[in-house]
Amino acid sequence: MPPRLTPTLRQRRIGNELRKMREAAGLSTAVLSRDLGIDRTQVSQIEAARVGVSPERLRSFAAACKCMNEPLIEALESMVQDRSKGWWEDYRGTIPEGFLEVAELEKTADSLMLWVLTHMPGSCQTLSYASSMFGRSIPPVPRHELEVRTAFRMRRKADLRRDQKQMTFFIYESALWTRFGGIEILREQLASLLEDSELPWMTVRVVPFDIDTFPGAVENLTYAFGKVPELDTVEIESSRGPVYMDAVNELTSYRSIFARTESMALSESKSRSLIRKIAKSL
């Protein structure tokens, strides 16, 4: 099988976890390859997700690394066996790779928790709001690209709602005031957000301006919960594309950030009251 040209987010994560297993065992690629009876370069290619790994090879890899974490091994085995093609693959080559990766992360997560400062969460955006957001890019994207990006975001939103994925949003008050496309579009967006907040699988909580201190993160974050805690992922939004964190110390740090944010956020009912108040003031 030829090496992959562009490994997916899931494939890269499998490779990362196998590398973590090897490093935790204190094994070099040379020693592990000898124990597995394969070429040293093959171990490197597996860890870099340049080539695939079978469930049997995964088990052999874990055994050679003395990994006794059966829930993690089973979760990775499930990831290896999943050969399904995500709907986002229909857009490959037409929009930036980062868009596809975010959709894949959302789809494969058990649940999601987001912290946003500058704009509404993508999975809550109306068509007009999303189009206005993409339309403000500098330099501006061509019209056909703008339409494709907006359509992609709406499909992401529809897919999450079809799955009724459990999602929790912590929204800084500034995002409720920021206008993309004008007052009418923002008013429509706030009304839509209020409707979303009533859905049983969606939690919307606002972090108001008048808290004593800023809760922590100064960038938009997504915490994606995996099948097991070791497979959690943090996505940091960046103008150059998403940045992913999955090291144990990084996950621990961001769990603390979200816990602090949650402690400062308004309750769901008080959040709805503030959203209504802002919408009325427009």
Side-chain angles (χ1 to χ4, degrees), residues 115-119 217-222 235-238:
W115 160 242
V116 293
L117 295 90
T118 56
H119 55 71
V218 291
E219 61 271 299
N220 296 332
L221 304 174
T222 296
E235 182 245 319
I236 303 174
E237 188 176 300
S238 162

Side-chain angles (χ1 to χ4, degrees), residues 65-183:
C65 294
K66 304 286 193 296
C67 178
M68 303 294 287
N69 190 339
E70 187 60 26
L72 173 60
I73 296 171
E74 289 180 355
L76 288 172
E77 190 173 31
S78 177
M79 291 170 67
V80 166
Q81 292 172 330
D82 183 5
R83 305 290 183 179
S84 60
K85 180 181 177 182
W87 62 264
W88 50 89
E89 293 294 339
D90 296 342
Y91 291 83
R92 190 170 295 280
T94 63
I95 60 175
E97 192 77 18
F99 283 64
L100 310 182
E101 292 181 345
V102 170
E104 183 180 12
L105 179 68
E106 291 176 339
K107 183 68 173 181
T108 56
D110 271 20
S111 60
L112 298 160
M113 188 164 55
L114 286 80
W115 160 242
V116 293
L117 295 90
T118 56
H119 55 71
M120 298 294 175
S123 48
C124 293
Q125 291 176 9
T126 64
L127 179 66
S128 297
Y129 187 94
S131 180
S132 297
M133 273 196 61
F134 290 131
R136 61 178 289 278
S137 299
I138 300 176
V141 296
R143 182 172 182 80
H144 72 279
E145 288 187 27
L146 172 64
E147 292 173 349
V148 171
R149 293 184 185 195
T150 304
F152 184 86
R153 176 146 296 178
M154 292 300 101
R155 191 164 175 186
R156 264 180 59 199
K157 176 179 178 179
D159 187 65
L160 287 167
R161 286 157 194 269
R162 184 166 48 250
D163 291 348
Q164 295 193 2
K165 183 85 66 177
Q166 189 67 44
M167 294 184 286
T168 300
F169 302 109
F170 297 107
I171 304 174
Y172 192 47
E173 187 178 342
S174 59
L176 303 176
W177 289 97
T178 305
R179 301 175 187 177
F180 292 99
I183 290 178

Side-chain angles (χ1 to χ4, degrees), residues 185-233:
I185 288 176
L186 179 56
R187 184 181 290 119
E188 176 192 42
Q189 176 62 72
L190 293 176
S192 178
L193 182 64
L194 283 169
E195 292 178 5
D196 287 344
S197 71
E198 299 287 356
L199 295 172
W201 41 272
M202 191 178 289
T203 299
V204 175
R205 296 181 61 186
V206 176
V207 176
F209 285 140
D210 61 0
I211 54 176
D212 290 336
T213 185
F214 195 74
V218 291
E219 61 271 299
N220 296 332
L221 304 174
T222 296
Y223 195 104
F225 292 89
K227 297 290 184 185
V228 293
E230 293 87 348
L231 292 179
D232 290 356
T233 305

